[in-house]
Every structure is written in C-alpha cells, then in structure tokens.
Amino acid sequence: MNISIIGGGITGLTTALALAKLGVQTTVYEQSKEVKEIGAGVLLQPNAVQVLDWLGIKDEVLQYGVPLNKMEISHPTLEPIKKINQDKIKDKFGNSMIAIHRGRLQKVLYNTFGQFGEVILGRKYISQSEKGDKIQVNFEDSSIETDMVLGADGIYSNVRAALFPKAATRDSKQTCWRGVAKLKLPSHLMYNGKEAWGKNRRFGLMNISESEVYWFAVANSDQYGKDLSREELKNMYAKFDPIVGQIIEDTEYIHTAQLEDLKRLDTWHSGKTCLLGDAAHATTPNMGQGACQGIEDAYYISNLLVQNKLSKAAFKVFESKRRAKVDQIVNTSWQFGQAAHSSFAQPLLKLMMKAMPESMLSKQMNKVFEIESF
C-alpha cells in the first residue's frame, strides 16, 4: 500500500510520523525546495501536546519552544480583563501550552520522520486522476502512481481544488501582521501570553525563547488599510503598553496577511483521497487552534486507517468523529474574531468574560482539549 501525503507542513509531517508510529510507511511530497525556518510563531495547546507526547517528541519540541502558563485577554495596558487564578492552564494529563517558532516545530517533525520515511521536496502538486485501483498524481515536472492520497497542503490547497473546485475561502475583513522580535520580555510577561484588545484592533504576544517574542496584530482592513509601514503600525498601537511599540521596532521581518477561513465543505473526502488540517477546515486564529486541529487530524486519521486496514472506509469514520468539534471551533473562532472588532459587541464580550466563573471557563477549555483514546 502506497500512501502519498501532499504537503510537508505541520499537518502533513505529523500525519506521516503518526502513521510511521503505527507501522505504516508513507511518502510526503512538499512543493518547497528546502525546509527552512520561515513564518512566525505557533501556540500548541494541550490537545496538540497530547499528540506530540503520544508521538514521543514532546520533550524535543519543548527544547525548541517555551511552556506557557496561560494566555490572557487583556486591556491595552496588558492588565487582564479577567484575571485567571490558576497558575498554569493545563489538561487532565498535566499538559500545558507550548509557544514555538513554526519553522522549528516543522524541523523537529521533518527530522524525526526522516528516520522512517522520505520527504520529497520541490514537488508542486498540479492534478490527479483515477487509473484503475491507482491514483495518478501529477506534479509540475513529474508524476507518480499511488494507492491513496492525503491532502495536507493548507488553506489554499491544490488537492482540494482538484476534488472540490467550488470550495471557497471567507474573508474576515481583518488584516493580520505577524513577526518575531529579538527582545527579552520583562519578567512579569515571560511565560504568560497576552492578547490586548483596543478599539477595532488587537495585539498578541508570547515569548518563544528567552530572547524572542512572537507577536501578532489584527485590525479592521477598511479602517486601517492593509499595507502599513512599520511606523504606521507602531502609531496604530501608540496607546497600548510601551512594550508593544518596542516589539514592533525590534522585529526584522513583518508578515502581512488577510485573515480568512474556509467555507464549510460538504465532505472532506472523495474516492481514495482525504483532506486534512487547513485543507479541510481552515479556521481563523482567534482560538489558537489552527495547527492544533491539524495535529489532531493526524492522530485520528492514522489510527482510523490502521483500524480499517488502510481502506478508504476510514475516511467516513474520520469525518464522523471530527466534524462536530471542528465545525464548532471554526464557527466560534469566526464569531469571536468578529465580536472582538465590533464597537458594539466587544464591550459586551468583555462583560461576559468578567462574569464567567473560572470553573465554567475551565470546563469549556477542557472540552476543546479532549481527545479520544484508541
């Protein structure tokens, strides 16, 4: 059985590693010509950390990242809207959050999988077609025949476009700026992520090493524009805590993107091909669950493929187990992001946060962190 994974990002590599753990060989095809440290940071919440622990790489990931005690919504002054009394947010297994550079996480996954299988770089997916019991996958400069395709090639998935050409993304009308600053945070901000809310704009920060800070800034596109200079971006956050301006100043490269998610697909699979992660259910980042849900997908699809003897029957079971949780996260993240940038809804949301008992907040988070045992 030849299983081909399209996409060598976090979801694709985690899926390959999960299948390798269960004794199933795969080949990963990635369009980039090299694996290098690109992008900014990523927050791994306890549900994702559970999977990394199952894979046996949690400790190595921690070597390249930072354990966070909590992630708090705050005022522009960085004072929390609702103070969380727990010293550390964690799941029932004791897993807490890990903040890490996206490129470093990908490198850990890449190097670990390299002990079990092959990642073929420089393979840009173009199309695929059925050839009897086989699938012919066409890349820009070559073709292969395979028994099964797992599409893990992100929100702008070419595999999805081949299967479901009418699929479309949804624009949040919000622009996001991201970067990594060479800066050591004051002691009171170390290991405690913050997301500060101002009028129609937000700013989040968390340290990903002792001397690096991953940050993101989000603002309404129609009010603030999309192409801002560094000084314009600093001015937009001039009334926030002074550390915000310093973080922006100490960032070498700032990534800019529109925040989008994927309109709900009727199904994630067709024939012997199944979509995973952002290719299937891309979400806005407002719940910090984008990468985490891709990692969860890897855990579920690998176990279900083995349970179903590597047949396409696993795809239907996979979708039935994952659909409700993923839909809820995508929808909640969208609604949360829209409310946070609304002059009417944001104050109400803040009042709800203050009034919500910590036990209820903990219950909601634990539901997100829950993963089925196989």
Side-chain angles (χ1 to χ4, degrees):
M1 165 69 80
N2 294 318
I3 299 178
S4 298
I5 298 174
I6 309 299
I10 292 172
T11 299
L13 290 172
T14 307
T15 302
L17 195 52
L19 283 164
K21 174 184 172 68
L22 299 173
V24 180
Q25 187 174 6
T26 63
T27 303
V28 179
Y29 297 89
E30 165 58 36
Q31 69 175 355
S32 298
K33 295 183 179 180
E34 60 180 317
V35 176
K36 56 185 179 180
E37 197 171 284
I38 59 172
V42 62
L43 180 63
L44 300 172
Q45 297 193 40
N47 51 319
V49 177
Q50 285 180 49
V51 177
L52 299 179
D53 194 22
W54 174 73
L55 289 170
I57 60 172
K58 182 176 97 170
D59 290 343
E60 186 175 1
V61 170
L62 274 169
Q63 289 178 19
Y64 292 95
V66 170
L68 289 187
N69 297 324
K70 60 186 78 172
M71 188 78 193
E72 294 180 316
I73 306 295
S74 72
H75 299 289
T77 59
L78 300 185
E79 286 296 314
I81 292 170
K82 179 181 178 63
K83 184 173 176 59
I84 299 174
N85 294 318
Q86 290 176 264
D87 291 333
K88 182 177 287 190
I89 302 298
K90 52 188 177 182
D91 66 9
K92 61 184 179 182
F93 302 109
N95 294 305
S96 56
M97 295 179 281
I98 300 174
I100 186 171
H101 193 290
R102 181 176 291 271
R104 290 169 202 160
L105 173 60
Q106 186 174 357
K107 201 67 177 287
V108 170
L109 294 167
Y110 176 81
N111 289 339
T112 306
F113 177 65
Q115 303 169 36
F116 306 100
E118 186 178 13
V119 179
I120 301 179
L121 302 173
R123 292 292 187 272
K124 183 178 180 180
Y125 174 100
I126 300 298
S127 63
Q128 67 181 67
S129 58
E130 302 283 341
K131 293 190 70 176
D133 291 335
K134 298 285 186 178
I135 302 171
Q136 178 173 306
V137 178
N138 303 309
F139 299 105
E140 197 167 50
D141 55 1
S142 60
S143 297
I144 61 166
E145 284 192 356
T146 187
D147 297 302
M148 182 175 287
V149 172
L150 300 178
D153 52 339
I155 185 171
Y156 304 114
S157 168
N158 289 326
V159 179
R160 184 183 67 236
L163 297 181
F164 310 117
K166 293 184 179 180
T169 57
R170 177 171 57 165
D171 185 1
S172 71
K173 310 297 183 185
Q174 295 167 6
T175 305
C176 182
W177 297 265
R178 295 183 178 95
V180 175
K182 299 288 186 181
L183 177 76
K184 184 176 176 64
L185 287 173
S187 58
H188 70 284
L189 293 176
M190 292 285 279
Y191 313 115
N192 290 309
K194 296 282 188 179
E195 183 178 306
W197 287 12
K199 186 177 181 181
N200 308 128
R201 62 196 125 167
R202 293 176 283 158
F203 192 94
L205 61 102
M206 62 192 78
N207 63 300
I208 56 173
S209 74
E210 292 296 317
S211 58
E212 293 175 302
V213 179
Y214 163 55
W215 62 271
F216 57 88
V218 184
N220 290 349
S221 306
D222 58 350
Q223 290 177 283
Y224 299 100
K226 302 176 183 180
D227 300 313
L228 301 185
S229 68
R230 187 184 302 267
E231 287 304 312
E232 288 172 328
L233 193 57
K234 286 170 62 178
N235 288 337
M236 186 163 60
Y237 291 94
K239 293 184 179 180
F240 283 56
D241 187 283
I243 194 67
V244 170
Q246 189 63 53
I247 288 170
I248 296 172
E249 183 63 34
D250 290 350
T251 301
E252 181 178 358
Y253 182 76
I254 298 174
H255 308 261
T256 306
Q258 282 299 106
L259 290 186
E260 296 179 298
D261 68 6
L262 181 65
K263 291 182 179 179
R264 189 183 190 276
L265 298 177
D266 291 335
T267 182
W268 299 335
H269 58 93
S270 176
K272 296 170 74 177
T273 300
C274 187
L275 302 174
L276 305 173
D278 283 353
H281 46 71
T283 179
T284 51
N286 302 303
M287 290 181 65
Q289 277 288 320
C292 299
Q293 289 306 302
I295 290 171
E296 271 197 41
D297 277 359
Y299 170 77
Y300 277 88
I301 195 64
S302 59
N303 279 282
L304 292 169
L305 277 169
V306 171
Q307 282 188 1
N308 287 272
K309 300 179 180 180
L310 304 184
S311 75
K312 67 179 183 180
F315 299 159
K316 186 175 181 179
V317 183
F318 168 70
E319 189 168 341
S320 69
K321 286 183 177 292
R322 296 287 292 135
R323 177 64 87 165
K325 181 176 183 179
V326 166
D327 281 355
Q328 183 177 26
I329 286 172
V330 171
N331 292 334
T332 302
S333 181
W334 178 270
Q335 292 162 5
F336 193 77
Q338 295 299 306
H341 287 253
S342 164
S343 299
F344 173 75
Q346 191 197 84
L348 293 177
L349 204 52
K350 287 179 177 178
L351 288 173
M352 290 172 61
M353 288 181 195
K354 289 180 181 179
M356 181 180 290
E358 193 164 323
S359 58
M360 183 180 295
L361 178 63
S362 180
K363 184 177 179 180
Q364 289 180 351
M365 287 191 296
N366 284 329
K367 190 172 182 181
V368 173
F369 299 157
E370 188 175 347
I371 293 179
E372 181 179 337
S373 296
F374 285 93

